[in-house]
Amino acid sequence: MARRPTIKDIARQAGVSESAVSFALNNRPGVSQDTRARIRRVAEELGWQPNSAARALSGEQSGAVGLVLARPAHTLEVESFFLQLVSGIQEVLAAGRIALLFQVVEDLDAECAVYRRWWAERRVDGVVVVDPRTDDPRPALLDQLGLPAVTVGEAGPESGPAVLSAVRADDAGAMAQVLDHLYGLGHRRIAHVAGLPGLAHTERRIASLRAEAGRLGLGPGEVRSVTTDYSDAEGAQATRRILAEPRPPTAIVYDNDVMAVAGVAVASELGIPVPGGLSVVAWDDSALCRVTRPRLTALVRDTAGFGRLAAEELLAVLAGGPPRSRESELPRLEPRESTAPPPGA
């Protein structure tokens, strides 16, 4: 394995002292402009890069930001949302030659422990926080540590005053589009297979469903939500329970594409045609929605753009900007082959 070049190697190649190399590479006075340019040219030729740990110990920025995901590991292999989100974050960070440190943990306590360790070790300059909770300890912890952060989504009012910047999606506006579409087709019994309970966006979508149902004159018995872990297995189980009810819904809204596809499969097993006997809507569009037959009606949004917005806001915070909330573009409902008027309409 090739040895990494050091300051000593640069000094030898450039014919200067190691202290001169240190001055030049750290933009400190003590060397002439010609010598500084020669040292930097040699450093580039040798492929030298600054040691992030040494920079952190010296009080400089580490050149990295962190992202911790506290989700069941088995749900990530089928969840396309986070892959797109991370790709958008990485696009912005890569342009600034900033690394992304990513870690998956089992629960919220473990996530908070990672933040404490990263802060103590000066491993990252800031963090992107995902999956805000309705009662979330992370904003207060990060504020206490002084670790700059941006949340993807916003926590509920139980979490206290906002101390972190946030980028958020308009879940209420998205749910209104879905309900208007299904109601317009004639559906009056609608189920919502939601994601993890306790997540702020899960609770927001459930509340939005109730509010929109009330606006349309639908009662609590006609529109309801059940929570899952976002996996295809739990999505399928929830669908079986819902369709076995005495008066099953004529339409189901799923909080991700994987559960929607699983729901279509369950309906097929039970001999219920989609959309003739059951209409299906996926919250997030993906290639899976477009290749499934029938093609799934879905909410189309720029998830990678959501990630880019989060990364841009974090860089603004690192540059000294104040905490603020920014909203991403409203998702657009794309009607496809999985929604139609209910039987008998």
Side-chain angles (χ1 to χ4, degrees), residues 200-216:
H201 69 261
T202 298
E203 303 303 325
R204 217 166 20 240
R205 291 177 189 179
I206 291 173
S208 298
L209 177 75
R210 292 171 181 163
E212 292 304 318
R215 176 178 64 86
L216 296 171

PDB file of all heavy atoms in Angstrom, residues 200-216:
ATOM      1  N   ALA A 200     -42.710  12.880  13.859  1.00  0.00           N
ATOM      2  CA  ALA A 200     -43.508  14.095  13.688  1.00  0.00           C
ATOM      3  C   ALA A 200     -44.279  14.075  12.378  1.00  0.00           C
ATOM      4  O   ALA A 200     -45.447  14.474  12.327  1.00  0.00           O
ATOM      5  CB  ALA A 200     -42.605  15.323  13.770  1.00  0.00           C
ATOM      6  N   HIS A 201     -43.633  13.605  11.288  1.00  0.00           N
ATOM      7  CA  HIS A 201     -44.339  13.644  10.007  1.00  0.00           C
ATOM      8  C   HIS A 201     -45.438  12.584   9.948  1.00  0.00           C
ATOM      9  O   HIS A 201     -46.448  12.785   9.266  1.00  0.00           O
ATOM     10  CB  HIS A 201     -43.366  13.513   8.833  1.00  0.00           C
ATOM     11  CG  HIS A 201     -42.727  12.176   8.680  1.00  0.00           C
ATOM     12  ND1 HIS A 201     -41.462  11.917   9.131  1.00  0.00           N
ATOM     13  CD2 HIS A 201     -43.166  11.030   8.131  1.00  0.00           C
ATOM     14  CE1 HIS A 201     -41.133  10.673   8.845  1.00  0.00           C
ATOM     15  NE2 HIS A 201     -42.156  10.110   8.255  1.00  0.00           N
ATOM     16  N   THR A 202     -45.290  11.465  10.666  1.00  0.00           N
ATOM     17  CA  THR A 202     -46.371  10.488  10.738  1.00  0.00           C
ATOM     18  C   THR A 202     -47.590  11.095  11.429  1.00  0.00           C
ATOM     19  O   THR A 202     -48.721  11.005  10.932  1.00  0.00           O
ATOM     20  CB  THR A 202     -45.925   9.226  11.508  1.00  0.00           C
ATOM     21  OG1 THR A 202     -44.841   8.607  10.813  1.00  0.00           O
ATOM     22  CG2 THR A 202     -47.069   8.233  11.629  1.00  0.00           C
ATOM     23  N   GLU A 203     -47.365  11.727  12.571  1.00  0.00           N
ATOM     24  CA  GLU A 203     -48.469  12.349  13.302  1.00  0.00           C
ATOM     25  C   GLU A 203     -49.095  13.485  12.500  1.00  0.00           C
ATOM     26  O   GLU A 203     -50.312  13.698  12.542  1.00  0.00           O
ATOM     27  CB  GLU A 203     -47.971  12.865  14.656  1.00  0.00           C
ATOM     28  CG  GLU A 203     -47.323  11.801  15.536  1.00  0.00           C
ATOM     29  CD  GLU A 203     -48.242  10.625  15.807  1.00  0.00           C
ATOM     30  OE1 GLU A 203     -49.466  10.834  15.927  1.00  0.00           O
ATOM     31  OE2 GLU A 203     -47.738   9.484  15.892  1.00  0.00           O
ATOM     32  N   ARG A 204     -48.245  14.220  11.755  1.00  0.00           N
ATOM     33  CA  ARG A 204     -48.762  15.327  10.955  1.00  0.00           C
ATOM     34  C   ARG A 204     -49.661  14.812   9.826  1.00  0.00           C
ATOM     35  O   ARG A 204     -50.703  15.402   9.518  1.00  0.00           O
ATOM     36  CB  ARG A 204     -47.588  16.135  10.398  1.00  0.00           C
ATOM     37  CG  ARG A 204     -47.841  17.616  10.355  1.00  0.00           C
ATOM     38  CD  ARG A 204     -46.624  18.468  10.120  1.00  0.00           C
ATOM     39  NE  ARG A 204     -45.492  17.823   9.536  1.00  0.00           N
ATOM     40  CZ  ARG A 204     -44.288  17.738  10.120  1.00  0.00           C
ATOM     41  NH1 ARG A 204     -44.107  18.222  11.329  1.00  0.00           N
ATOM     42  NH2 ARG A 204     -43.276  17.167   9.527  1.00  0.00           N
ATOM     43  N   ARG A 205     -49.252  13.706   9.197  1.00  0.00           N
ATOM     44  CA  ARG A 205     -50.058  13.148   8.111  1.00  0.00           C
ATOM     45  C   ARG A 205     -51.377  12.593   8.639  1.00  0.00           C
ATOM     46  O   ARG A 205     -52.428  12.752   8.003  1.00  0.00           O
ATOM     47  CB  ARG A 205     -49.269  12.060   7.382  1.00  0.00           C
ATOM     48  CG  ARG A 205     -48.097  12.594   6.591  1.00  0.00           C
ATOM     49  CD  ARG A 205     -47.284  11.481   5.947  1.00  0.00           C
ATOM     50  NE  ARG A 205     -46.044  11.994   5.375  1.00  0.00           N
ATOM     51  CZ  ARG A 205     -45.117  11.254   4.772  1.00  0.00           C
ATOM     52  NH1 ARG A 205     -45.300   9.947   4.674  1.00  0.00           N
ATOM     53  NH2 ARG A 205     -44.020  11.800   4.283  1.00  0.00           N
ATOM     54  N   ILE A 206     -51.326  11.936   9.803  1.00  0.00           N
ATOM     55  CA  ILE A 206     -52.561  11.419  10.395  1.00  0.00           C
ATOM     56  C   ILE A 206     -53.514  12.562  10.728  1.00  0.00           C
ATOM     57  O   ILE A 206     -54.722  12.497  10.437  1.00  0.00           O
ATOM     58  CB  ILE A 206     -52.230  10.586  11.653  1.00  0.00           C
ATOM     59  CG1 ILE A 206     -51.513   9.298  11.260  1.00  0.00           C
ATOM     60  CG2 ILE A 206     -53.499  10.275  12.440  1.00  0.00           C
ATOM     61  CD1 ILE A 206     -51.003   8.485  12.437  1.00  0.00           C
ATOM     62  N   ALA A 207     -52.971  13.629  11.324  1.00  0.00           N
ATOM     63  CA  ALA A 207     -53.802  14.785  11.657  1.00  0.00           C
ATOM     64  C   ALA A 207     -54.347  15.451  10.400  1.00  0.00           C
ATOM     65  O   ALA A 207     -55.505  15.896  10.363  1.00  0.00           O
ATOM     66  CB  ALA A 207     -52.995  15.790  12.482  1.00  0.00           C
ATOM     67  N   SER A 208     -53.521  15.516   9.355  1.00  0.00           N
ATOM     68  CA  SER A 208     -53.965  16.125   8.097  1.00  0.00           C
ATOM     69  C   SER A 208     -55.075  15.312   7.459  1.00  0.00           C
ATOM     70  O   SER A 208     -56.031  15.870   6.897  1.00  0.00           O
ATOM     71  CB  SER A 208     -52.782  16.250   7.126  1.00  0.00           C
ATOM     72  OG  SER A 208     -51.777  17.084   7.647  1.00  0.00           O
ATOM     73  N   LEU A 209     -54.956  13.983   7.539  1.00  0.00           N
ATOM     74  CA  LEU A 209     -56.009  13.126   6.990  1.00  0.00           C
ATOM     75  C   LEU A 209     -57.343  13.405   7.689  1.00  0.00           C
ATOM     76  O   LEU A 209     -58.379  13.558   7.037  1.00  0.00           O
ATOM     77  CB  LEU A 209     -55.620  11.659   7.161  1.00  0.00           C
ATOM     78  CG  LEU A 209     -56.659  10.647   6.688  1.00  0.00           C
ATOM     79  CD1 LEU A 209     -56.679  10.573   5.170  1.00  0.00           C
ATOM     80  CD2 LEU A 209     -56.385   9.255   7.268  1.00  0.00           C
ATOM     81  N   ARG A 210     -57.322  13.502   9.017  1.00  0.00           N
ATOM     82  CA  ARG A 210     -58.550  13.776   9.759  1.00  0.00           C
ATOM     83  C   ARG A 210     -59.119  15.137   9.400  1.00  0.00           C
ATOM     84  O   ARG A 210     -60.333  15.294   9.223  1.00  0.00           O
ATOM     85  CB  ARG A 210     -58.264  13.702  11.258  1.00  0.00           C
ATOM     86  CG  ARG A 210     -57.927  12.300  11.770  1.00  0.00           C
ATOM     87  CD  ARG A 210     -57.445  12.351  13.195  1.00  0.00           C
ATOM     88  NE  ARG A 210     -57.085  11.030  13.706  1.00  0.00           N
ATOM     89  CZ  ARG A 210     -56.344  10.829  14.775  1.00  0.00           C
ATOM     90  NH1 ARG A 210     -55.891  11.879  15.463  1.00  0.00           N
ATOM     91  NH2 ARG A 210     -56.059   9.603  15.164  1.00  0.00           N
ATOM     92  N   ALA A 211     -58.230  16.128   9.313  1.00  0.00           N
ATOM     93  CA  ALA A 211     -58.699  17.482   9.008  1.00  0.00           C
ATOM     94  C   ALA A 211     -59.307  17.552   7.615  1.00  0.00           C
ATOM     95  O   ALA A 211     -60.372  18.166   7.415  1.00  0.00           O
ATOM     96  CB  ALA A 211     -57.536  18.463   9.130  1.00  0.00           C
ATOM     97  N   GLU A 212     -58.652  16.933   6.638  1.00  0.00           N
ATOM     98  CA  GLU A 212     -59.171  16.963   5.272  1.00  0.00           C
ATOM     99  C   GLU A 212     -60.461  16.161   5.163  1.00  0.00           C
ATOM    100  O   GLU A 212     -61.378  16.545   4.424  1.00  0.00           O
ATOM    101  CB  GLU A 212     -58.117  16.420   4.302  1.00  0.00           C
ATOM    102  CG  GLU A 212     -56.889  17.299   4.159  1.00  0.00           C
ATOM    103  CD  GLU A 212     -57.230  18.716   3.732  1.00  0.00           C
ATOM    104  OE1 GLU A 212     -58.108  18.872   2.846  1.00  0.00           O
ATOM    105  OE2 GLU A 212     -56.641  19.659   4.278  1.00  0.00           O
ATOM    106  N   ALA A 213     -60.550  15.044   5.892  1.00  0.00           N
ATOM    107  CA  ALA A 213     -61.786  14.263   5.884  1.00  0.00           C
ATOM    108  C   ALA A 213     -62.934  15.088   6.451  1.00  0.00           C
ATOM    109  O   ALA A 213     -64.056  15.081   5.915  1.00  0.00           O
ATOM    110  CB  ALA A 213     -61.591  12.984   6.694  1.00  0.00           C
ATOM    111  N   GLY A 214     -62.656  15.821   7.538  1.00  0.00           N
ATOM    112  CA  GLY A 214     -63.678  16.685   8.113  1.00  0.00           C
ATOM    113  C   GLY A 214     -64.119  17.759   7.144  1.00  0.00           C
ATOM    114  O   GLY A 214     -65.306  18.092   7.049  1.00  0.00           O
ATOM    115  N   ARG A 215     -63.167  18.315   6.415  1.00  0.00           N
ATOM    116  CA  ARG A 215     -63.486  19.353   5.425  1.00  0.00           C
ATOM    117  C   ARG A 215     -64.424  18.814   4.347  1.00  0.00           C
ATOM    118  O   ARG A 215     -65.308  19.528   3.842  1.00  0.00           O
ATOM    119  CB  ARG A 215     -62.193  19.868   4.798  1.00  0.00           C
ATOM    120  CG  ARG A 215     -62.394  20.888   3.675  1.00  0.00           C
ATOM    121  CD  ARG A 215     -61.051  21.389   3.139  1.00  0.00           C
ATOM    122  NE  ARG A 215     -60.264  20.330   2.524  1.00  0.00           N
ATOM    123  CZ  ARG A 215     -60.391  19.945   1.251  1.00  0.00           C
ATOM    124  NH1 ARG A 215     -61.305  20.528   0.471  1.00  0.00           N
ATOM    125  NH2 ARG A 215     -59.625  18.997   0.753  1.00  0.00           N
ATOM    126  N   LEU A 216     -64.241  17.532   4.010  1.00  0.00           N
ATOM    127  CA  LEU A 216     -65.055  16.924   2.960  1.00  0.00           C
ATOM    128  C   LEU A 216     -66.340  16.291   3.500  1.00  0.00           C
ATOM    129  O   LEU A 216     -67.125  15.732   2.732  1.00  0.00           O
ATOM    130  CB  LEU A 216     -64.230  15.854   2.230  1.00  0.00           C
ATOM    131  CG  LEU A 216     -63.010  16.385   1.465  1.00  0.00           C
ATOM    132  CD1 LEU A 216     -62.144  15.224   0.975  1.00  0.00           C
ATOM    133  CD2 LEU A 216     -63.443  17.267   0.292  1.00  0.00           C
TER     134      LEU A 216
END
